[in-house]
Amino acid sequence: MILESLSVTDFRNLSAVSIAPHPRFNVFVGANGQGKTNLLDAVHVLATLRSLRGQKNRELIRHGEKSAFVEGDVRRGASLRRAKVRVAANGKRVWLNGNPVRELNEWFGGINVVSFAPDDVRVLRSSPGDRRLFLDRAIFALQPAYSLVASEYEQVVKQRNSALRAEVVDYALIDIYDRQLAVRGAEVVERRLRFVREISPRLQESFGAIFDEHLGLEMRYECGFAREPEGADLIEALLRALRSSRVRDEARGFTTVGPHRDDFVVSMAGQPMRAYASQGQHRAFVLAFKIAEIAAIEEGLGAAPILLLDDVSSELDPKRNERLFDFLSGFDGQVFITTTDAEFVRISGESQRWQVSEGGVI
Amino acid sequence: MALRWPESISELVNQLSRLPGIGEKTATRLAFFVLDQDAAYADDLAGALVTVKAKIRRCSACGSLGEEELCDICTAPERDRTSMCIVESFADLVAIERTGEFRGLYHVLHGLIRPLDGVGPEALNLPAIAQRVEGLGVREVIVATDPSVEGEATAMYIRNLLDDDVAVTRIARGLPMGGEVEYADRATLGRAISARERLG
């Protein structure tokens, strides 16, 4: 899958950028704060309708403007589709080949991206919220429909939280939100479990290849409302959990149980990496995870995803950086890389370098 | 120094751009269109705006819009009084009426339950539903809210307001997720009405 053209208007600090990306490597070079990452984020929004960093619509629009646009020509084999997203404070609208898209399933699955950002290296030591974002981003790429159910789930959580803070709480309404959350929350957890199950063997394999050693890597999803979530009746479990946490939720003014509070743990030789792994092992984990994710997409969708690498070399040691570019030279899809220093990017030929400066691209 | 428009033009542009879907560019075009017309056109337009606001009121029975105490549908003898269709807005009512698939009465909520936007059940035309259904002897209630999570929550809330012996269905199939009733084409909406789903 190749992005043949990309136009970005009023997206964060990018006022009007229009480029024809190279089918292989695109290297965006520039100092910090010039808009390199915003370009990657624009591609991410075009693919998933979500920001790389989980930002709200309003935060994606250039200061003083009402809406932002991202538009691109996406080639997949013989088919070429023109995709367009408008981001406004109250929501996003999408067009395919000029026609408004109502059925979002039609949209998702059109463009698959895998992203890799500097913060990813710290994911295991970061907050549960960052870990969920990391996990969810990978699932959006592999199971596009996940985005729909995840958005609906988040929407209901917000409505329930507001209803909990009402002067007079309407318990009949909270009951309804509990049922809506149980159905959607169960699906969110099922999809996360399925992802962890499917990625695990590949993750172990690629981690072993990077580390030249088998350290028994294990990734486990931790579900706050079901101790053994695999095979459990998650709808029933979440419904029960929501009901028993209602008094607490009302006191705190928000929903304290559900997949939006879950987490995952990665352990190495039985010990949680969060506490025991070295910096090098953390880097190896995240690199192995991304390689596993790419392999899963290539197999599942029969096409290489678009890779978005945000300043990753700055966070990888020379050995891991070399390993990354070894992998990339064997990868046959399109890659977008940002860097402050083109020296970090070890690719020969088949690439186009773009200079990014003050929200513009040369 | 940049040219400044006369105060009256800016004011018209400003008022027009408050309309939904109208940005400043379109508002400017509309304002100049009005300026290009005869004075009679401006009078007619202004008159129509004032009249609609003065004359149109909510039907005291169903919440629909009309010029009398009761709307045309509530007073029409040929409408089936045993079935009632609940819609979010008058625009949705008009859209469903155009399909010709539904011959019962309506009930207009004027919104969906959205605590996030400060709209709780009490802010909508919801409490009257149970009384109307009982008073009229309605046996079937069709909830035609949008296929969004808010539309679903509102439909479930209505189900709870009514006795179990009233059949409550919700239109579902045919309408795209995330879509809005008002903008659906007739064929889609017609299919959605005939393939409505039973709730609970």
Side-chain angles (χ1 to χ4, degrees):
Chain A
M1 167 182 334
I2 307 289
L3 196 55
E4 293 194 344
S5 78
L6 176 69
S7 304
V8 183
T9 313
D10 297 332
F11 186 89
R12 302 196 39 103
N13 80 331
L14 308 169
S15 59
V17 171
S18 197
I19 59 170
H22 192 280
R24 292 286 283 128
F25 293 99
N26 294 275
V27 185
F28 297 115
V29 188
N32 288 325
Q34 302 300 306
K36 303 185 301 291
T37 305
N38 295 339
L39 273 165
L40 296 196
D41 203 9
V43 177
H44 197 265
V45 166
L46 192 65
T48 65
L49 305 184
R50 282 171 179 259
S51 152
L52 267 176
R53 289 160 293 185
Q55 281 169 317
K56 297 192 176 81
N57 288 329
R58 195 169 296 116
E59 298 166 319
L60 299 179
I61 303 165
R62 198 160 86 98
H63 188 69
E65 299 296 330
K66 282 183 178 169
S67 51
F69 291 89
V70 184
E71 205 168 349
D73 288 306
V74 186
R75 176 170 298 284
R76 198 168 193 173
S79 91
L80 184 68
R81 302 206 296 180
R82 185 159 193 82
K84 179 177 173 179
V85 178
R86 188 188 75 191
V87 184
N90 61 355
K92 298 187 184 81
R93 277 189 174 259
V94 294
W95 289 263
L96 271 181
N97 298 326
N99 301 315
V101 174
R102 302 223 163 270
E103 193 89 49
L104 282 179
N105 277 324
E106 206 186 305
W107 176 267
F108 294 118
I111 318 170
N112 299 88
V113 292
V114 171
S115 58
F116 191 167
D119 286 348
D120 289 348
V121 171
R122 282 177 282 279
V123 68
L124 297 180
R125 285 182 293 206
S126 189
S127 69
D130 286 342
R131 269 190 295 283
R132 284 191 299 271
L133 191 63
F134 177 87
L135 182 67
D136 282 349
R137 245 171 26 208
I139 309 177
F140 294 141
L142 202 59
Q143 306 172 27
Y146 178 60
S147 189
L148 286 179
V149 66
S151 301
E152 285 193 2
Y153 176 81
E154 287 160 16
Q155 192 63 23
V156 182
V157 169
K158 286 186 205 155
Q159 298 291 3
R160 186 180 188 267
N161 290 350
S162 297
L164 285 168
R165 293 186 212 120
E167 228 159 274
V168 182
V169 177
D170 183 336
Y171 295 105
L173 186 58
I174 303 289
D175 271 336
I176 287 169
Y177 290 140
D178 288 358
R179 276 153 64 196
Q180 286 190 309
L181 286 181
V183 172
R184 290 168 177 85
E187 189 180 338
V188 167
V189 173
E190 271 158 19
R191 284 179 180 274
R192 287 178 180 170
L193 289 169
R194 193 178 109 203
F195 176 82
V196 170
R197 220 164 39 229
E198 289 174 358
I199 204 83
S200 285
R202 295 178 201 280
L203 181 59
Q204 281 154 12
E205 191 187 327
S206 57
F207 188 75
I210 293 168
F211 232 73
D212 310 319
E213 194 176 347
H214 239 66
L215 287 167
L217 194 73
E218 193 203 1
M219 183 170 179
R220 194 166 48 81
Y221 185 76
E222 289 202 321
C223 181
F225 60 89
R227 195 160 292 179
E228 298 289 341
E230 287 281 2
D233 184 344
L234 293 172
I235 296 182
E236 194 48 45
L238 184 48
L239 201 54
R240 266 203 310 272
L242 285 163
R243 285 185 179 146
S244 53
S245 71
R246 187 176 293 182
V247 175
R248 182 180 60 202
D249 289 0
E250 195 183 330
R252 298 201 191 165
F254 62 91
T255 304
T256 59
V257 65
H260 66 294
R261 310 276 288 177
D262 286 353
D263 201 352
F264 71 86
V265 173
V266 178
S267 53
M268 214 171 52
Q271 302 286 355
M273 282 188 75
R274 180 192 177 89
Y276 292 95
S278 68
Q279 178 68 9
Q281 286 166 331
H282 278 283
R283 289 171 176 153
F285 161 76
V286 78
L287 195 54
F289 184 92
K290 295 296 171 181
I291 290 172
E293 191 189 334
I294 293 162
I297 291 177
E298 283 181 317
E299 191 182 293
L301 306 170
I306 293 172
L307 300 194
L308 306 175
L309 307 179
D310 189 14
D311 198 20
V312 287
S313 299
S314 65
E315 287 292 336
L316 294 177
D317 50 282
K319 192 177 154 202
R320 243 61 71 176
N321 197 38
E322 198 177 310
R323 179 72 189 85
L324 171 66
F325 285 99
D326 272 356
F327 169 78
L328 290 177
S329 59
F331 172 78
D332 59 6
Q334 191 177 30
V335 184
F336 293 83
I337 303 173
T338 70
T339 185
T340 46
D341 185 348
E343 283 300 299
F344 286 130
V345 180
R346 306 280 178 81
I347 28 179
S348 45
E350 287 198 293
S351 72
Q352 165 86 50
R353 188 189 289 191
W354 308 90
Q355 191 72 39
V356 183
S357 169
E358 291 177 15
V361 176
I362 314 159
Chain B
M1 196 182 136
L3 174 74
R4 257 205 217 155
W5 285 343
E7 181 73 30
S8 55
I9 297 184
S10 328
E11 178 56 17
L12 179 57
V13 170
N14 179 31
Q15 290 299 339
L16 288 170
S17 62
R18 287 174 60 189
L19 293 167
I22 306 283
E24 204 174 313
K25 256 187 220 164
T26 309
T28 308
R29 217 176 63 227
L30 294 175
F32 282 103
F33 173 83
V34 172
L35 269 179
D36 278 345
Q37 309 303 305
D38 296 339
Y41 176 78
D43 282 341
D44 291 348
L45 179 62
L49 290 173
V50 173
T51 310
V52 77
K53 214 39 209 169
K55 282 204 171 166
I56 296 296
R57 53 202 279 192
R58 281 190 190 179
C59 169
S60 63
C62 72
S64 173
L65 302 179
E67 294 188 353
E68 309 295 332
E69 174 77 20
L70 290 172
C71 71
D72 289 349
I73 292 175
C74 282
T75 51
E78 74 278 9
R79 303 293 299 210
D80 174 5
R81 266 144 226 285
T82 65
S83 87
M84 180 185 286
C85 183
I86 301 181
V87 291
E88 176 186 342
S89 65
F90 181 65
D92 289 351
L93 181 157
V94 172
I96 288 171
E97 203 49 16
R98 278 204 202 112
T99 68
E101 292 276 334
F102 180 70
R103 304 307 302 157
L105 300 178
Y106 287 93
H107 192 86
V108 185
L109 298 173
H110 297 287
L112 295 177
I113 302 173
R114 286 191 181 101
L116 195 56
D117 303 326
V119 184
E122 71 293 337
L124 300 172
N125 188 18
L126 272 168
I129 294 176
Q131 289 168 341
R132 269 192 93 204
V133 164
E134 200 175 327
L136 290 162
V138 171
R139 297 219 299 274
E140 186 193 18
V141 170
I142 302 166
V143 185
T145 48
D146 288 343
S148 58
V149 284
E150 291 86 2
E152 183 188 84
T154 306
M156 290 161 87
Y157 198 88
I158 291 166
R159 166 70 278 187
N160 289 347
L161 290 175
L162 299 169
D163 288 341
D164 286 346
D165 55 355
V166 180
V168 181
T169 54
R170 179 176 179 227
I171 58 164
R173 271 176 221 107
L175 281 185
M177 282 308 282
E180 290 173 352
V181 169
E182 185 187 343
Y183 296 110
D185 61 85
R186 268 183 224 194
T188 306
L189 204 47
R191 232 180 7 255
I193 288 271
S194 29
R196 58 188 180 265
E197 275 180 348
R198 189 175 205 102
L199 283 176

